[in-house]
Every structure is written in C-alpha cells, then in structure tokens.
Amino acid sequence: MLIRPLSLLLCHVILFGASFAAADTPPPAAPELLRITRPLVIAHRGYSGAAPENTLPSFAAATLAGADMVELDYHHTSDGALVVLHDATLDRTTDARQRWGGEKIRASEHTLAELQSLDAGRWFDGRFAGTRLPLLTEAIELITPHAVTLVERKAGDARTCVELLRHRGWINRVVVQSFDWDYLRDFHALAPEQVLAALGPVAPAKGQPFTDAEKALSPQQLDRLAAAGASVAAWSRDHVTHDSVREAHARGLKVWVYTVNDVATARQMLDLGVDGIISNHPPLIWKALALALRAE
Ligand code: G3P
Ligand code: CA
C-alpha cells in the first residue's frame, strides 16, 4: 500500500525537485508552532527514508509529506559557508573518497566550491545522481514556504548563524537545536527571542562512562536546558518517560523525541504525551496520530 504513493512522491521529487511547491498554507512562526496542541511531525534530515538525507530532494519530499518541521544539520566550510551535512566527514554521503582518494575527509577542510562539486545523491539511489550538498540558505529557502526548518548546528560558532538568520529575516521562522548547550547559551545571549531546542542526552566527556541516569530526561536536565535558553528538549526516545514529559510540561517546556521510524513506537511516544516526533518517515507518524485519534 505504501509503494504507490511513495513512488509518486519520488517522481515529483525527482522531476520537480526544489522547484515543486506543495499547495499548502504558510507555516506558523516558531513560537506559534510551539502552541499547537497536537504532536508535531518532524522530518529527520528531510524525508530521509525516501531521498538522500540533508539534500534538496529530501527536503522537497518532506514538505510534500506534510511535515510540520524539516530537520537538517549544518557545518562550516573552509571558506566560511554554512553547508548542510550530517557527518563531519564526507565519506558516507558523498563520492569524495572515489573522487579525491583517502578517507575520513573532513568537510571543514574544503571550500564550498569543492564540496558542491561532489555527488551527494548517488550513494542513496542512482535516481538521485548529481544531487549537490546544499547551502543552509538554499535549504531554508526551499522549506520555509511550507514548513518550519529545524536547524541543527553540528559545528561552528553561534554568532555566524545568528547573523545569517537575522540578515535573511529568519529568526523564529526556524527553530535552532544543538547537542552543544554552550552554543545554545551563546545563541540565546545574541538572539533571546529565537526558539531553541536542546538535544540530549549529552555524554559527560569523551571516553567517560555514560550511565542510564545521565541519559534520562530528568528534572535536573530540564532545569539545565531551560537555563541554557531552550524551550524544547529534543531527546532520544529511549530515555523519555511519562514522568519526564510531565516534569517538562510543568516547567512550560516541550518534549520532542528522535528518531522514531515505526508506527508502534510512535504510538508509545504519543502515549507518553510527547509534543513532537522526529522521523525518517514522516507519513508513518501521521498514521500513528490518526490511529491514536481513532482509539480515543
Ligand atoms: O533531531 C534529532 C537528531 O537529528 C539528532 O541526532 O545524529 O541525527 O543529528 P542526529
Ligand atoms: Ca540532526
């Protein structure tokens, strides 16, 4: 049953790519988005189950799938551009190794022109051959008419991102998230109005033991992330409980969980009362929401 709609969606994405506009209403600004009472459907690295992650086809597919938010990751290039990419290295999602040789090829050591000469689609499926790594600005331009972009900073300073968002009028047209809560604190100091999400759990230090208690979305973690300026905890689904969600809500905070790729787990998360579900397959989250509604 899933195959035909998915094929149609892929046809749209491949044929029309970034230029295809879904006939939908403009998304709310970030503060309004947080006031929506139903759980949000958040596409992880775009609709990364159907198209190569963190590319324009993946973002176009996510908007066609009706995602409330479209998540992406960014890094800085050697010449100061903000480029959309998950890993610090290019090996997994581009043809850099075949083209340039070597391994563990760091994006931060290459210029934007070099990075955009790579193929970021063929590794996923030959139909996406020729897909480039997008600039952060290109990605937000594509997503913004249809959904709120959830911008995850993987590397780089807060000031550069704040200045870019301010310059383009995108403060609070997006939500910004990071596992680095010092970055969030810096961002909050520069742009206190911007909605921020704190990703977790965060390991205490490289190589140190990481206990289940430290991974839990506990009242202490909620207090810490709120102090960093976040109004959302974006937490691993394995470490969120009914009590965590209740404690978060008592503090006026939202809870989003990552990464949920099946209907049964999505329904468990909905039962916990989470406010958003991050998924590689956004239509499955819509299905879980519909089933939960029918069960009421
Ligand atoms: O949005 C949550 C998720 O993106 C965090 O993990 O590794 O996919 O960036 P990761
Ligand atoms: Ca991410």
Side-chain angles (χ1 to χ4, degrees):
M1 258 190 40
L2 190 63
I3 294 178
R4 267 190 63 202
L6 194 59
S7 304
L8 278 175
L9 181 69
L10 277 174
C11 282
H12 279 304
V13 168
I14 292 163
L15 290 175
F16 301 104
S19 65
F20 185 84
D24 51 7
T25 50
E32 279 74 60
L33 186 83
L34 294 197
R35 285 196 276 275
I36 294 175
T37 49
R38 73 163 165 77
L40 301 174
V41 176
I42 307 169
H44 184 235
R45 310 181 195 171
Y47 188 164
S48 57
E53 66 178 54
N54 279 327
T55 63
L56 297 184
S58 185
F59 303 142
T63 67
L64 288 167
D68 296 299
M69 303 188 77
V70 181
E71 195 258 2
L72 56 76
D73 307 279
Y74 80 84
H75 287 264
H76 288 228
T77 66
S78 66
D79 51 347
L82 271 53
V83 70
V84 178
L85 177 72
H86 180 271
D87 303 353
T89 57
L90 298 158
D91 305 33
R92 184 176 62 85
T93 58
T94 74
D95 59 349
R97 281 168 66 162
Q98 296 94 291
R99 293 270 313 282
W100 300 340
E103 55 183 38
K104 296 186 183 155
I105 306 166
R106 298 188 70 79
S108 61
E109 292 171 4
H110 291 272
T111 63
L112 177 66
E114 286 167 341
L115 295 183
Q116 291 202 313
S117 73
L118 297 172
D119 187 314
R122 190 189 291 275
W123 69 275
F124 184 85
D125 190 303
R127 287 173 296 174
F128 293 98
T131 302
R132 284 187 300 112
L133 291 176
L135 280 166
L136 179 60
T137 50
E138 293 175 313
I140 298 176
E141 275 168 5
L142 167 64
I143 297 164
T144 293
H146 313 290
V148 174
T149 310
L150 178 53
V151 175
E152 181 180 347
R153 171 272 194 179
K154 287 296 189 195
D157 62 304
R159 184 176 293 278
T160 303
C161 187
V162 170
E163 285 176 359
L164 180 146
L165 295 179
R166 257 201 214 298
H167 178 68
R168 298 297 297 261
W170 287 334
I171 291 284
N172 271 342
R173 304 313 306 183
V174 304
V175 174
V176 176
Q177 67 174 5
S178 184
F179 281 104
D180 179 347
W181 296 7
D182 289 334
Y183 171 90
L184 295 179
R185 209 169 280 112
D186 290 348
F187 202 116
H188 187 63
L190 293 164
E193 70 276 40
Q194 171 63 57
V195 172
L196 300 175
L199 280 158
V202 184
K206 232 184 179 132
Q208 294 296 304
F210 195 10
T211 65
D212 276 350
E214 286 167 328
K215 292 176 187 168
L217 182 56
S218 61
Q220 294 75 16
Q221 297 278 33
L222 290 165
D223 290 339
R224 280 188 53 232
L225 70 88
S231 43
V232 180
W235 219 258
S236 162
R237 64 185 169 88
D238 296 329
H239 303 288
V240 171
T241 63
H242 191 270
D243 283 351
S244 334
V245 177
R246 193 174 40 79
E247 291 280 355
H249 289 171
R251 289 164 172 75
L253 301 168
K254 301 288 185 182
V255 179
W256 299 341
V257 284
Y258 68 88
T259 306
V260 176
N261 291 324
D262 66 277
V263 173
T265 309
R267 292 198 66 184
Q268 285 168 18
M269 294 296 118
L270 295 175
D271 286 345
L272 298 182
V274 302
D275 307 290
I277 299 183
I278 300 169
S279 175
N280 299 347
H281 297 275
L284 294 185
I285 309 307
W286 286 122
K287 182 174 179 181
L289 278 167
L291 290 170
L293 208 60
R294 203 171 64 174
E296 271 178 10

